[in-house]
Amino acid sequence: MREAILTAIEKNSRIDIADLAAMLGASEVDVANEIAEMEKEHIICGYHTIINWDKTGDEKVSALIEVKVTPQRGMGFDAIAERIYNFSEVTSLYLMSGGFDFTVFIEGKTMKSVAKFVAEKLSPMEAVLSCSTHFVLKKYKDHGTAIEEEKLDERMQVSP
């Protein structure tokens, strides 16, 4: 039942418990208890809304930063990761394989504020060897959700 609940709420975290219980053929109490248990175990870490900021009056700049670091003796990458993810600008942080160690996603009000974050907070960290910043120009899909409205096919049907 856990996997089915997780799959359903990952697609729609606002699904009603009654609807979810009906989909799973379980009682509402069992589903609610299972969700509460997964929250307690930190399997469910939060509920988020995906917003198309381009359609609001608020300007936001998103950037992906590739970061190379020197792991700390006895702590590996975890201590460095914790320092990075505690910055308020950081929205996501991943340990990577390949040519760099971390992928950091950040948001700022302007490109200048993103550059300032990299220059004044991220790059000066003792363990950081290098950073490569890539600005997001347009989001098409985020967390499995298409950002733009689905376009209708307005072509006329041709009959033989």
Side-chain angles (χ1 to χ4, degrees), residues 24-118:
L24 300 173
S27 74
E28 291 180 38
V29 172
D30 288 344
V31 171
N33 288 340
E34 193 66 37
I35 290 172
E37 186 65 29
M38 288 189 287
E39 289 170 344
K40 184 177 163 186
E41 293 173 17
H42 215 65
I43 293 169
I44 298 173
C45 301
Y47 301 89
H48 302 278
T49 302
I50 298 169
I51 299 169
N52 184 351
W53 288 102
D54 291 342
K55 297 207 178 221
T56 71
D58 295 334
E59 289 292 322
K60 287 204 182 232
V61 175
S62 298
L64 175 156
I65 306 165
E66 299 170 339
V67 183
K68 286 185 183 181
V69 299
T70 302
Q72 295 180 336
R73 185 177 304 267
M75 293 189 175
F77 294 102
D78 294 344
I80 302 164
E82 185 175 358
R83 283 193 58 208
I84 294 171
Y85 71 63
N86 279 316
F87 289 120
S88 62
E89 297 89 344
V90 175
T91 59
S92 299
L93 174 64
Y94 304 100
L95 180 63
M96 305 297 293
S97 64
F100 54 94
D101 301 304
F102 290 114
T103 296
V104 182
F105 288 89
I106 71 164
E107 286 185 349
K109 290 261 182 215
T110 63
M111 291 177 108
K112 187 174 182 177
S113 69
V114 170
K116 186 175 179 180
F117 168 80
V118 174

Side-chain angles (χ1 to χ4, degrees), residues 148-153:
E148 293 294 320
E149 295 173 17
E150 213 173 286
K151 293 192 171 44
L152 297 174
D153 186 355

